[in-house]
Short mmCIF file of all heavy atoms in Angstrom, two decimals:
data_model
loop_
_atom_site.label_atom_id
_atom_site.label_comp_id
_atom_site.label_asym_id
_atom_site.label_seq_id
_atom_site.Cartn_x
_atom_site.Cartn_y
_atom_site.Cartn_z
N PRO A 19 4.69 22.40 -6.30
CA PRO A 19 5.57 21.43 -5.73
C PRO A 19 6.26 20.69 -6.83
O PRO A 19 5.87 20.43 -7.89
CB PRO A 19 4.74 20.48 -4.90
CG PRO A 19 3.23 20.77 -5.50
CD PRO A 19 3.21 22.13 -6.11
N SER A 23 10.44 11.94 -9.31
CA SER A 23 10.86 11.51 -10.72
C SER A 23 10.25 9.99 -10.99
O SER A 23 9.90 9.38 -10.02
CB SER A 23 12.44 11.39 -10.76
OG SER A 23 12.84 10.33 -9.94
N GLU A 25 11.85 7.52 -11.72
CA GLU A 25 12.80 6.51 -11.02
C GLU A 25 12.39 6.45 -9.56
O GLU A 25 12.36 5.35 -9.02
CB GLU A 25 14.36 6.89 -11.18
CG GLU A 25 14.86 6.79 -12.57
CD GLU A 25 14.52 8.03 -13.48
OE1 GLU A 25 14.14 9.13 -12.93
OE2 GLU A 25 14.54 7.89 -14.69
N VAL A 44 -1.18 -6.37 5.71
CA VAL A 44 -1.20 -5.04 6.15
C VAL A 44 -1.74 -4.19 4.96
O VAL A 44 -2.30 -3.12 5.23
CB VAL A 44 0.35 -4.67 6.38
CG1 VAL A 44 0.55 -3.18 6.59
CG2 VAL A 44 0.95 -5.36 7.57
N GLY A 50 -4.56 -5.62 -2.16
CA GLY A 50 -3.54 -4.53 -2.05
C GLY A 50 -2.34 -4.93 -2.94
O GLY A 50 -1.78 -4.01 -3.55
N THR A 82 -8.04 -18.89 -10.43
CA THR A 82 -9.47 -19.12 -10.45
C THR A 82 -10.15 -17.74 -10.50
O THR A 82 -9.49 -16.57 -10.49
CB THR A 82 -9.91 -19.74 -9.22
OG1 THR A 82 -9.72 -18.94 -8.09
CG2 THR A 82 -9.19 -21.09 -9.08
N VAL A 86 -5.52 -16.24 -7.14
CA VAL A 86 -4.55 -17.18 -7.13
C VAL A 86 -5.06 -18.47 -6.25
O VAL A 86 -5.57 -18.24 -5.21
CB VAL A 86 -3.14 -16.72 -6.74
CG1 VAL A 86 -2.31 -17.89 -6.53
CG2 VAL A 86 -2.72 -15.61 -7.51
N PRO A 91 -1.18 -29.38 0.51
CA PRO A 91 -1.50 -30.83 0.68
C PRO A 91 -2.64 -30.95 1.67
O PRO A 91 -2.77 -30.29 2.56
CB PRO A 91 -0.15 -31.52 1.28
CG PRO A 91 0.55 -30.28 1.87
CD PRO A 91 0.10 -29.06 1.08
#
Side-chain angles (χ1 to χ4, degrees):
S23 69
E25 291 82 17
V44 174
T82 68
V86 175

